[in-house]
Amino acid sequence: MQGAFIVLVLLGITSGEALHLIHLPATSHVAENAPPATLVHTFSVNLSVSLSPVIPGFPMVINPRPFTEAFRVNRLSATTFEVVTTGKEQLDFETGPKAFDLQIYVKDDVGVTDVQVLTVQVTDVNEPPQFQGSLAQGLNLYITERTNPGFIYQVEAFDPEDTSRNIPLRYFLISPSKNFRMSANGTLFSTTELDFEAGHKSFHLLVGVRDSRDLEASTALQVTIVNINDEIPLFTSPRRVYSIPEEAPLGTMVANITAVDPDDEGFPGHLLYSIATTSSYFMVDQLTGTIQVAQRLDRDAGELRQNPIISLEVLVKDRPSGGQENRMQITFIVEDINDNPATCRKRTFSIMLPERAANGTLLLDLNKFCFDDDSEAPNNKFNFTTPSGAGSSRRFSQRPAGSGRIVLIGDLDYENPSNLAAGNKYSVMIQVQDVAPPYYKKSIYISILTRPENEFPLIFERSSYMFDVPETRPARTQVGQVRATDRDFPQRPVVYSISRGGASLQYPNIFWINPKTGELQLITKADHETTPVYILTVEATNGEDRSSVTVTVNIVGENDEKPICTPNFYFMSIPVDLKVGTNIQNFKLTCTDLDSSPRSFRYSIGSGNINNHFAFSPNAGSNITRLLLASRFDYSILDTVRDYKLLVYVTDDNLLSGRTKAKALVETGTVTLSVKVIPHPVTTITTPRPRITYQIRRENIFSPSAWYVPFIITLGSIVLVGLLGSLMVLLAKAVYRHCSSMTRKDKKPLIKKGDTKSTKSTKREAMVESIQMNSVFDGEAVDPVTGEIYEFNSKTGARKWKGPLTQLPSWPEPSTQPRGTAGEASVPKHTGK
């Protein structure tokens, strides 16, 4: 009982000292349209027994009904607070809620809370009328000038108290104007025609409205008069005639046209200027009205030379298209100035005079070439200065002075030493100048060249020439040089040519002469044996004169011919046991040389004479020699080669005497010999059979050009093998069927018992003689299709291609076994290429 009592006491104390709101719940009132921070209600908080403070941000408004953000709670002290308006939402009695239930929620640091309700009533307040939209802030109205009097704008306002809009409002102008009036229903009228240029540019009107309770409101109307383009521009520049000098630089301002537009309040920048008449000489700045030079003004050429007056019509507009415009005529007079110096169609002259021209000869009249383009005197007048030039004052002059007539007063003889020193060429400089300021000058250059005359003939230095050249000299060898001169000045180049002689059997001319230097050269080697002496006619010309001279060229003989031997190529075949010292197949070599004696030949064998089996006799001192076998062949030990390719050197030794200026030159010719050594025939004898079997191998050589032969043979062989195969299959089937049937019928043995003679096989031995025959190729020929060399046997017609080393084929050893019955000869065939 005592414990229960203590709990109840504690509960009573706790409930009496808990956190709670004071002066809530409650009901408060606030006027509509109340400004922000308007006080609505004040309350306080009773802290709990723990004295825990209220958390910052509390109390707060939660769950307002209806929802609104028009109220908030402000802290006045730790326990005192107030509810005020926020201004976020307008409190309108007529259109918005009339009451709000705000739940005030408070919480302390230990989490103790309390919630109470504050009811806020919105009270009605009598409000003045209000203008709608942008009219409430003031409105700008625009009226074009010269608009007829009448309606301008309809002003509208409303009374917040009259939600049904049934009570009329009264409108009026607070500041009366003689140009405007307003009706009671808010219609604004103009009473006069407004002219912008007369000063009616804008008006400030205050419009008032009054409700049934005499509450008023006002707004401002700014009425702006819009200027329209109703006035033509007016020119303000009084000048109409302008004088300008010719050749004014492009872009030079020659006139400034100004105008004003009454519609633009004196701002000329709004006007646009142009030139109405067609003129390429001037252009106008369309914004400023300044007229500038657009094309060269040349008083001395074209239409300005005939008429220097230019008339223009200037047009001014107040807008690019449409609008108002005005025109004005102006005149420009182009004045002549001395801007053109005296000019000559030619300022450089070249004159050629014969060296014997007479004194007083008129060389040039400059008045025929010079002129002044200026259109008026004295700007178009000119004269000439005194001629000048190094060395020309004693030879040329101007008569009369200043006239521009250049005449000869001196000697122009080409052979005169002083004239030669001057190069017979003279330069004269003279100036043409204006007679009016600024005295323009231009220089004229005259080049005078003396034309020489042909006084001396063209002659050669010698009446004839003779040159020697060895016949072994190559092409482009210099034979000699001729030279022709002319004493006339200036020296003309001499051109040399061969007009006759110099031909050989192979060439139309074996000589060439340098047309500039006269140097005679060989085109090809000369041959003393063919033509020992050439007689040439060399011609020289300098364009005026022509001269010729005889040139004799002696071809000096030299040993330049190689020995030529017959035959140059030969094939021989000899038996292996040929006797030493034998003239091989009676071979004889006969040699000739155009520039050597028959006794000058020497013979030697170069490559191919292996083991020195061959030699020539005689080996020197004769043009005829024979090939001998110098040593026997020994193929058992020493020799292995059966085909010899002998390269024979034939040297002339230059022993020919009596040659003019012959040098010790040696020429060598060559001869190629092919020698084939034929071995002994091989015979194999087997005893005791008398029968002889000959085994002969033949070699068939066919030409590669006959490609169709192996093709046809191969194709025929394939067809034949196919047919034979088919026949063999049919034959095998027939034999098989026949043998099977015979075996079933007859089972008797084929040999009788006791017949020992039949069981013995008598072996016959046959004597087989195998003879190996080798074809001997004793001739050579060239295949007309391939161009290759082949060897042939003149008796059998056998052929084979000639290779670098021709050797006998290796034949297979003959078999001792008989290939047939006794007494039969077996001759196998061999097919080669």
Side-chain angles (χ1 to χ4, degrees):
M1 297 262 320
Q2 187 177 359
F5 176 78
I6 293 171
V7 171
L8 291 175
V9 172
L10 291 175
L11 289 174
I13 294 173
T14 302
S15 62
E17 296 182 0
L19 176 70
H20 64 277
L21 296 169
I22 303 175
H23 306 303
L24 289 175
T27 298
S28 297
H29 296 83
V30 62
E32 66 175 329
N33 299 323
T38 300
L39 178 63
V40 178
H41 184 71
T42 302
F43 65 92
S44 59
V45 176
N46 186 19
L47 301 177
S48 62
V49 68
S50 62
L51 298 179
S52 296
V54 176
I55 296 176
F58 288 89
M60 65 173 58
V61 177
I62 63 173
N63 299 328
R65 292 194 307 271
F67 180 79
T68 182
E69 294 182 353
F71 305 97
R72 72 169 182 268
V73 178
N74 290 340
R75 179 188 290 268
L76 299 179
S77 64
T79 58
T80 305
F81 303 90
E82 65 178 0
V83 178
V84 298
T85 58
T86 61
K88 294 182 179 181
E89 294 182 6
Q90 187 72 25
L91 298 176
D92 191 355
F93 181 83
E94 288 76 20
T95 59
K98 296 179 175 54
F100 297 92
D101 290 332
L102 308 179
Q103 294 186 21
I104 308 301
Y105 176 66
V106 66
K107 184 178 182 180
D108 62 9
D109 283 344
V110 297
V112 181
T113 62
D114 189 18
V115 177
Q116 297 295 335
V117 176
L118 172 63
T119 300
V120 179
Q121 299 287 340
V122 179
T123 60
D124 187 20
V125 177
N126 187 20
E127 301 172 84
Q130 297 180 4
F131 291 97
Q132 296 181 350
S134 60
L135 186 60
Q137 306 299 326
L139 188 65
N140 292 327
L141 300 178
Y142 297 90
I143 306 173
T144 59
E145 67 171 328
R146 299 192 182 279
T147 302
N148 294 328
F151 172 81
I152 295 178
Y153 186 72
Q154 179 65 47
V155 180
E156 292 185 359
F158 70 95
D159 188 355
E161 309 299 331
D162 183 12
T163 57
S164 61
R165 307 291 178 90
N166 292 325
I167 302 175
L169 300 176
R170 291 174 295 166
Y171 299 88
F172 55 93
L173 289 176
I174 300 177
S175 55
S177 174
K178 63 178 181 178
N179 297 311
F180 301 94
R181 69 178 181 86
M182 177 167 283
S183 64
N185 62 357
T187 303
L188 180 63
F189 295 93
S190 61
T191 58
T192 60
E193 184 182 85
L194 302 176
D195 186 5
F196 183 87
E197 288 74 24
H200 299 157
K201 295 179 176 56
S202 64
F203 300 90
H204 186 74
L205 303 178
L206 290 178
V207 179
V209 61
R210 184 181 298 113
D211 63 6
S212 58
R213 299 183 182 180
D214 294 332
L215 292 179
E216 296 180 356
S218 63
T219 187
L221 294 179
Q222 185 71 29
V223 181
T224 301
I225 308 304
V226 179
N227 187 19
I228 63 174
N229 190 18
D230 58 344
E231 302 288 342
I232 64 171
L234 301 176
F235 287 99
T236 58
S237 53
R239 191 174 177 182
R240 297 292 188 269
V241 179
Y242 299 86
S243 296
I244 57 176
E246 65 169 329
E247 301 296 347
L250 299 182
T252 301
M253 186 180 71
V254 294
N256 187 18
I257 307 301
T258 58
V260 296
D261 187 357
D263 291 323
D264 280 346
E265 296 183 323
F267 295 102
H270 293 171
L271 298 177
L272 300 177
Y273 298 88
S274 62
I275 298 177
T277 55
T278 302
S279 176
S280 59
Y281 292 107
F282 302 100
M283 64 180 179
V284 63
D285 190 315
Q286 65 174 354
L287 298 179
T288 63
T290 57
I291 297 178
Q292 299 173 343
V293 177
Q295 182 179 323
R296 180 187 176 190
L297 296 172
D298 190 359
R299 173 67 177 84
D300 310 312
E303 59 184 10
L304 293 180
R305 189 176 185 90
Q306 303 299 327
N307 183 15
I309 299 175
I310 303 173
S311 296
L312 299 179
E313 184 180 62
V314 179
L315 174 65
V316 60
K317 293 183 178 181
D318 55 11
R319 62 179 61 180
S321 61
Q324 304 295 329
E325 64 181 35
N326 198 359
R327 298 171 185 265
M328 181 179 68
Q329 293 288 336
I330 60 175
T331 301
F332 292 99
I333 300 176
V334 181
E335 297 179 344
D336 182 39
I337 63 173
N338 186 19
D339 60 329
N340 291 314
T343 304
C344 299
R345 287 189 296 272
K346 289 180 61 177
R347 294 176 56 193
T348 302
F349 296 89
S350 294
I351 301 173
M352 181 173 289
L353 289 176
E355 58 179 322
R356 289 177 294 194
N359 287 342
T361 301
L362 177 63
L363 306 183
L364 181 65
D365 187 357
L366 294 175
N367 287 286
K368 297 179 180 179
F369 300 93
C370 300
F371 58 92
D372 194 325
D373 278 334
D374 286 318
S375 58
E376 298 177 359
N379 296 331
N380 56 2
K381 302 300 180 181
F382 58 90
N383 57 20
F384 298 92
T385 61
T386 302
S388 62
S392 63
S393 60
R394 294 181 291 104
R395 296 178 177 90
F396 310 99
S397 181
Q398 183 180 194
R399 293 180 180 175
S403 63
R405 292 171 54 87
I406 310 300
V407 297
L408 176 65
I409 61 172
D411 180 20
L412 295 181
D413 185 11
Y414 211 95
E415 285 70 33
N416 190 321
S418 63
N419 293 340
L420 285 175
N424 286 291
K425 185 177 181 180
Y426 312 96
S427 297
V428 177
M429 193 273 287
I430 189 171
Q431 288 184 327
V432 56
Q433 66 178 7
D434 288 341
V435 299
Y439 306 106
Y440 290 115
K441 293 182 181 180
K442 284 192 177 180
S443 298
I444 300 173
Y445 300 93
I446 305 172
S447 176
I448 302 173
L449 181 65
T450 303
R451 184 176 71 243
E453 295 179 347
N454 187 18
E455 298 175 343
F456 302 97
L458 177 67
I459 59 175
F460 282 91
E461 293 180 346
R462 288 188 283 177
S463 60
S464 64
Y465 293 85
M466 179 176 292
F467 305 111
D468 294 333
V469 59
E471 65 174 334
T472 58
R473 301 304 295 170
R476 297 188 178 182
T477 298
Q478 181 178 354
V479 177
Q481 186 175 14
V482 298
R483 187 167 183 268
T485 58
D486 187 350
R487 289 188 297 166
D488 283 326
F489 285 94
Q491 292 288 334
R492 295 177 177 270
V494 180
V495 178
Y496 301 91
S497 62
I498 300 175
S499 62
R500 188 172 56 191
S504 67
L505 296 179
Q506 293 84 11
Y507 300 94
N509 202 326
I510 68 170
F511 298 98
W512 174 81
I513 191 168
N514 190 316
K516 295 181 179 180
T517 63
E519 180 181 332
L520 189 65
Q521 296 181 5
L522 285 174
I523 295 178
T524 183
K525 290 177 63 176
D527 188 6
H528 172 83
E529 288 72 25
T530 303
T531 306
V533 178
Y534 290 91
I535 298 177
L536 311 177
T537 300
V538 176
E539 189 175 87
T541 179
N542 60 0
E544 291 182 344
D545 296 331
R546 189 178 297 272
S547 180
S548 62
V549 70
T550 300
V551 178
T552 301
V553 180
N554 297 316
I555 307 301
V556 179
E558 291 188 354
N559 184 27
D560 62 333
E561 299 289 343
K562 294 181 180 180
I564 300 176
C565 300
T566 304
N568 188 45
F569 175 83
Y570 197 76
F571 173 81
M572 294 171 284
S573 60
I574 60 176
V576 70
D577 55 354
L578 185 68
K579 183 179 179 181
V580 175
T582 302
N583 181 196
I584 300 174
Q585 290 188 358
N586 294 322
F587 176 77
K588 181 176 63 174
L589 189 65
T590 303
C591 301
T592 60
D593 194 334
L594 294 178
D595 54 10
S596 297
S597 167
R599 300 188 307 273
S600 65
F601 296 107
R602 178 166 48 88
Y603 308 92
S604 61
I605 300 176
S607 62
N609 192 10
I610 302 174
N611 296 329
N612 299 319
H613 288 297
F614 305 96
F616 280 97
S617 178
N619 61 357
S622 175
N623 67 325
I624 299 175
T625 186
R626 289 172 174 80
L627 181 66
L628 304 180
L629 182 66
S631 62
R632 64 182 302 276
F633 298 101
D634 186 2
Y635 287 98
S636 62
I637 299 174
L638 181 64
D639 295 317
T640 59
V641 177
R642 294 184 182 274
D643 291 294
Y644 292 88
K645 302 292 183 180
L646 304 181
L647 184 63
V648 181
Y649 296 104
V650 183
T651 305
D652 60 10
D653 279 347
N654 197 27
L655 299 178
L656 183 62
S657 61
R659 292 293 178 136
T660 304
K661 298 181 180 180
K663 297 181 180 180
L665 300 178
V666 177
E667 295 291 340
T668 301
T670 59
V671 176
T672 303
L673 302 179
S674 294
V675 181
K676 186 177 185 64
V677 180
I678 306 300
H680 291 295
V682 178
T683 303
T684 303
I685 301 176
T686 305
T687 59
R689 297 297 182 186
R691 297 294 183 181
I692 298 175
T693 300
Y694 294 94
Q695 185 176 5
I696 302 174
R697 294 180 64 91
R698 293 184 179 180
E699 187 175 5
N700 183 23
I701 307 299
F702 80 96
S703 174
S705 62
W707 58 269
Y708 53 86
V709 175
F711 175 77
I712 295 175
I713 293 174
T714 304
L715 183 61
S717 301
I718 293 173
V719 175
L720 181 60
V721 169
L723 293 175
L724 291 177
S726 301
L727 291 176
M728 291 299 294
V729 171
L730 295 176
L731 180 62
K733 291 182 180 179
V735 171
Y736 177 78
R737 287 195 299 269
H738 179 72
C739 291
S740 299
S741 61
M742 293 298 295
T743 303
R744 288 193 299 268
K745 292 180 180 181
D746 192 0
K747 301 292 185 177
K748 295 180 180 182
L750 298 178
I751 302 175
K752 294 181 181 180
K753 294 181 181 181
D755 189 1
T756 59
K757 294 182 180 181
S758 61
T759 59
K760 297 178 182 179
S761 62
T762 303
K763 298 182 180 178
R764 292 185 179 181
E765 295 182 359
M767 187 273 292
V768 178
E769 183 180 5
S770 178
I771 300 176
Q772 183 174 353
M773 300 181 65
N774 296 325
S775 297
V776 176
F777 299 95
D778 55 358
E780 291 186 355
V782 178
D783 185 72
V785 178
T786 63
E788 300 290 337
I789 299 175
Y790 64 88
E791 300 175 350
F792 63 89
N793 188 295
S794 59
K795 296 180 179 180
T796 64
R799 304 183 195 179
K800 72 172 182 177
W801 297 112
K802 181 181 179 182
L805 290 176
T806 306
Q807 297 181 358
L808 289 174
S810 58
W811 303 99
E813 294 295 332
S815 175
T816 58
Q817 297 296 329
R819 296 199 178 187
T821 59
E824 296 179 354
S826 174
V827 182
K829 295 182 179 180
H830 174 72
T831 302
K833 293 183 180 179

